[in-house]
Amino acid sequence: MPVTKWHHIHMEHVTEEPRKRITARVTDSVRDTLEQAAELLGATVNQFVVQTAYLEAQRVIERESVIRLSQKDAQKVLTLLDEPPKPNQRLKNAVKAFKATVRV
């Protein structure tokens, strides 16, 4: 079975930008593992590390940026947006305190 060659997924724009160097010190066993994985994909170690780190960075950013709600919770949020509750005394006090400390 042929090995799939390395593909630059969603990184086309990176080649047009100025490049910066990232270095990392790793143990021999980590380097061996990275070399083996890169070879299996037909990539250099540098290509493998950059692409893998880039994809993981995108995944982390998405995970930390997106709020996922159940249908029940999403419906509650939409209902509160359509029919917000009246401000209670605690909120009114917070608004007063805010206005007292901020120049408009």
Side-chain angles (χ1 to χ4, degrees):
M1 185 166 136
V3 175
T4 304
K5 290 295 179 188
W6 184 255
H7 297 283
H8 294 279
I9 302 169
H10 306 292
M11 289 190 58
E12 295 81 13
H13 66 281
V14 173
T15 57
E16 298 171 9
E17 297 175 10
R19 294 181 180 205
K20 305 280 182 172
R21 180 174 297 276
I22 296 175
T23 58
R25 298 192 185 279
V26 296
T27 63
D28 287 341
S29 63
V30 170
R31 174 73 187 197
D32 291 344
T33 301
L34 294 173
E35 286 175 348
Q36 182 181 5
E39 186 176 327
L40 289 169
L41 293 176
T44 65
V45 172
N46 189 59
Q47 289 170 328
F48 177 79
V49 169
V50 169
Q51 186 66 35
T52 304
Y54 180 74
L55 292 173
E56 180 64 11
Q58 286 181 318
R59 191 185 68 74
V60 167
I61 290 167
E62 180 181 349
R63 183 187 70 219
E64 297 299 322
S65 302
V66 175
I67 298 172
R68 300 193 193 281
L69 299 174
S70 68
Q71 284 186 338
K72 180 181 174 184
D73 290 338
Q75 188 58 49
K76 184 173 183 175
V77 169
L78 292 174
T79 299
L80 288 170
L81 289 172
D82 288 339
E83 303 168 18
K86 295 187 185 232
N88 60 22
Q89 193 57 48
R90 191 170 169 193
L91 179 58
K92 290 176 185 177
N93 292 342
V95 170
K96 284 180 186 176
F98 174 78
K99 287 182 177 179
T101 59
V102 177
R103 287 186 180 176
V104 180

